[in-house]
């Protein structure tokens, strides 16, 4: 199972992206930041609201050099119809990845075996394919992609500034901390 600072597994999946069926693999992710957003299934109730939130913020992800991948346990065929029939999902310009074999949901620890669905999981993956943030929670609670953007920015900041850490509620442009012996017990 995936955990912080672990390498993502080799995988191959089919996705619906910009009107076409495309293959997405672990190699597709290499060289750029990626955000995996797992959802239970197409045509559910909270999922379109999250896809729309990601779509409304997609330009911000792109400016940060990151690609967004929505992943459900459905097929890429289902994603095509979902994209064509849901006004919210129709806004998506990023890949809608199918995981009907449950390889990805199992590998990332979000699979619900008794339901054949995924939990809501969000993973920020660096250009080397290493998981830097993860969040998994109940399917009744939809996410706010602004928090995912904040975490992506923090992950990119610490990757580019070794020896610094981002404190609680850190936002881009705010002060960071350079841990040192002198700071112990003074924060």
């Amino acid at each position: 199972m995936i955990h912080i600072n672990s390498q993502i597994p080799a995988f191959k999946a089919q996705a619906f992206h910009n009107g076409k069926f495309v293959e997405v693999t672990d190699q597709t992710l290499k060289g750029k930041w990626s955000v995996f957003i797992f959802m239970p299934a197409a045509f559910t109730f909270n999922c379109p609201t999250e896809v729309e939130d990601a779509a409304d913020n997609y330009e911000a992800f792109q400016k940060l050099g990151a690609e967004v991948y929505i992943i459900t346990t459905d097929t890429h065929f289902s994603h095509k119809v979902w994209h064509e029939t849901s006004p919210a999902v129709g806004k998506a310009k990023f890949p809608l990845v199918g995981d009907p074999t449950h390889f990805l949901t199992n590998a990332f620890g979000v699979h619900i075996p008794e339901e054949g669905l995924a939990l809501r999981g969000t993973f920020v993956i660096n250009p080397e394919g290493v998981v830097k943030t993860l969040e998994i929670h109940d399917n009744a609670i939809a996410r706010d992609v602004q928090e995912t953007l904040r975490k992506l920015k923090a992950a990119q900041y610490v990757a580019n500034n070794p020896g610094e850490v981002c404190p609680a509620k850190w936002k881009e442009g705010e002060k960071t901390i350079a841990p040192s012996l002198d700071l112990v017990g003074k924060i």
Side-chain angles (χ1 to χ4, degrees), residues 145-186:
V145 83
Q146 287 294 315
E147 178 59 10
T148 305
L149 278 165
R150 187 192 74 77
K151 289 177 184 179
L152 171 62
K153 289 175 184 178
Q156 290 179 334
Y157 183 88
V158 297
N160 293 326
N161 296 279
E164 293 185 43
V165 298
C166 296
K169 298 183 181 184
W170 178 87
K171 290 193 173 59
E172 187 175 29
E174 292 181 353
K175 291 183 106 177
T176 57
I177 298 171
S180 73
L181 185 60
D182 296 339
L183 291 179
V184 175
K186 296 186 178 158

Side-chain angles (χ1 to χ4, degrees), residues 42-119:
F43 303 103
T44 55
F45 306 100
N46 266 346
C47 296
T49 68
E50 291 188 315
V51 174
E52 184 173 37
D53 187 25
D56 290 345
N57 288 279
Y58 187 54
E59 187 177 317
F61 283 105
Q62 293 285 278
K63 284 182 182 174
L64 294 170
E67 184 58 86
V68 172
Y69 298 89
I70 299 293
I71 305 166
T72 76
T73 55
D74 305 289
T75 67
H76 54 297
F77 301 112
S78 295
H79 288 156
K80 177 185 184 299
V81 176
W82 194 29
H83 192 271
E84 292 171 348
T85 59
S86 168
V89 177
K91 293 180 174 184
K93 295 195 182 338
F94 38 76
L96 303 172
V97 181
D99 185 32
T101 66
H102 305 156
F103 177 82
L104 289 170
T105 58
N106 278 302
F108 281 80
V110 297
H111 189 68
I112 309 168
E114 55 279 359
E115 296 180 24
L117 301 173
L119 290 167

Side-chain angles (χ1 to χ4, degrees), residues 125-163:
I125 303 163
N126 77 8
E128 291 77 42
V130 176
V131 174
K132 301 315 283 181
T133 76
L134 68 84
E135 174 185 19
I136 302 170
H137 56 85
D138 187 273
N139 281 333
I141 305 165
R143 294 158 281 194
D144 182 343
V145 83
Q146 287 294 315
E147 178 59 10
T148 305
L149 278 165
R150 187 192 74 77
K151 289 177 184 179
L152 171 62
K153 289 175 184 178
Q156 290 179 334
Y157 183 88
V158 297
N160 293 326
N161 296 279

